[in-house]
Amino acid sequence: MWRHRIRPRKDWERIVTEQGLIFPVTTKDDGTTVPYWNESAWYEVTMDEVERLESATEELWALCIDAVAHMVSPGSGMTDARLGLPAGSLDLVRRSVEAGHKSVYARFDLVYGADGSLKMLEINGDTPTGLVETAVAQWRWLEDVLPDADQWNSVHDRLVARWAELRTSGAIEGDHVHFVYHLGGGAEYDDGELEMTIHYMMDTAIQAGLTVMAHPVSEVGWNPDHREFRDAHDLPLRNVFKLYPWEDMLGERFGQMILEGREARPVTWFEPAWKALLSTKAILPVLWERNPGHRHLLPAYFDEPRDLLQWVAKPLHGREGDNVRVHLADGSEDVQMPGAYGAEGFVYQGYAELPSYEGNRVVIGSWVVGGEAAGMLVRESDGLVTDYYSRVVPHVISDTVSPDPAQVRAWLADRVGADVPTLPAS
């Protein structure tokens, strides 16, 4: 993997904004801005590297499915309190596993070391973002700048195919899906990231033949007579894609109705309730316990670093690096990020040094759609923690050329296929 400098396209901020990436820059506390979309550089990878990333991603996905099945099994030691979830959550998750509820997507964060090693930092299994950046902005950059080159990026095609599969398989009741998101407010507002992501996901569902509607989750209501959730037009919710973490949703009044089973006809959720286990860092020590020494995992433990000399403390429900602490053995770095997380508990994960390219520390976001590896997103940061000020940089596969449509169709049909890991009851 190599980093190359390049001149950005003229008027690049307008270009990516018109493509849907509505915050091409990040505003700092002092009012100045730094690029969020950074096309003053690009990363070169080879096809061999892509195949290693694909293989690692699918292997890790299989380990996560195994870990979820273990966590809901008797004797796993998991409880709602252990997971920092509202009372009754694990029972809901267990029912979701037993029902074999289908998921849409997830994103691993990986460290690709200079020695070729690949290590999992975490999985964003419930509400991953970065889709517009991956599936639209970097692909359109490739078409404009290096049109004969290729990119590891089938995210859009696989999302459309996944929605179509869910529709035709009966996993979606009818053909209507509501898309809801947590709008936030004040300091909670995310500059429109969730709205941007939800509208992109709506577009992929429309291309799969579904009828869609979106609104903030705060506009979802409850009809006590019919015991069902209703949308802003008083229509019942049957299938819902949400960008709202399960751990937050279940802690609210409406979430309690789900936990208490008050619905006459339960909503089909995407992502399903079992994804709550892939939205908590608790998955990290469980993965390590079940797969000690695995080449793609870092040692991880609940509550304490144990024998780790260098470690990263992560709050169970933390996001964007908030409240992460990095401790190095020689004391050269002891970083503690601010934030509002941590009351739910911490896990301690072995420290893995992020590779540095001209001072830019790199994390690879590796996408899974319908259980299959789908593409990657490169993020750069200045420090040890990938936070709100990280930058997205496009990538190129250097030793292959842009595939023709027939080759793309073959890849979409042949990858993983029947070997996609599934939950035990599905």
Side-chain angles (χ1 to χ4, degrees), residues 218-251:
S218 60
E219 295 182 9
V220 173
W222 173 257
N223 184 307
D225 297 328
H226 294 270
R227 293 189 295 125
E228 62 187 13
F229 293 107
R230 297 285 182 96
D231 69 12
H233 300 287
D234 202 31
L235 297 173
L237 273 60
R238 297 286 181 253
N239 314 289
V240 179
F241 177 88
K242 62 169 190 58
L243 272 182
Y244 192 32
W246 274 107
E247 64 267 19
D248 292 340
M249 193 166 80
L250 293 177

Side-chain angles (χ1 to χ4, degrees), residues 170-364:
I172 293 174
E173 178 185 340
D175 64 354
H176 195 289
V177 179
H178 284 81
F179 287 73
V180 299
Y181 53 96
H182 180 55
L183 187 60
E188 275 193 308
Y189 187 63
D190 63 356
D191 294 328
E193 183 179 30
L194 298 188
E195 293 166 276
M196 177 183 80
T197 305
I198 207 91
H199 283 87
Y200 171 70
M201 286 297 281
M202 287 172 64
D203 181 58
T204 62
I206 290 170
Q207 292 188 40
L210 291 163
T211 302
V212 301
M213 176 181 176
H215 56 72
V217 69
S218 60
E219 295 182 9
V220 173
W222 173 257
N223 184 307
D225 297 328
H226 294 270
R227 293 189 295 125
E228 62 187 13
F229 293 107
R230 297 285 182 96
D231 69 12
H233 300 287
D234 202 31
L235 297 173
L237 273 60
R238 297 286 181 253
N239 314 289
V240 179
F241 177 88
K242 62 169 190 58
L243 272 182
Y244 192 32
W246 274 107
E247 64 267 19
D248 292 340
M249 193 166 80
L250 293 177
E252 297 193 352
R253 184 167 63 91
F254 282 179
Q256 287 298 309
M257 295 176 178
I258 298 172
L259 290 175
E260 294 168 6
R262 294 194 197 178
E263 298 167 273
R265 297 172 60 186
V267 169
T268 298
W269 295 97
F270 301 100
E271 298 295 334
W274 63 264
K275 281 296 198 74
L277 301 185
L278 299 186
S279 183
T280 166
K281 306 301 185 293
I283 192 72
L284 299 175
V286 174
L287 285 169
W288 184 251
E289 179 183 354
R290 291 186 64 75
N291 308 277
H294 193 284
R295 67 191 185 287
H296 295 321
L297 298 176
L298 294 163
Y301 307 103
F302 284 105
D303 303 324
E304 59 184 8
R306 298 194 188 181
D307 58 346
L308 299 175
L309 300 178
Q310 302 190 116
W311 44 261
V312 180
K314 297 181 175 181
L316 292 180
H317 300 158
R319 282 175 163 73
E320 301 285 357
D322 281 1
N323 300 100
V324 163
R325 181 183 173 191
V326 180
H327 173 77
L328 300 189
D330 62 2
S332 60
E333 293 280 359
D334 201 338
V335 176
Q336 192 151 7
M337 303 295 287
Y341 299 100
E344 72 277 18
F346 283 82
V347 300
Y348 290 77
Q349 184 184 51
Y351 172 75
E353 183 175 10
L354 302 182
S356 178
Y357 296 83
E358 299 181 305
N360 300 284
R361 299 174 189 268
V362 168
V363 167
I364 290 177

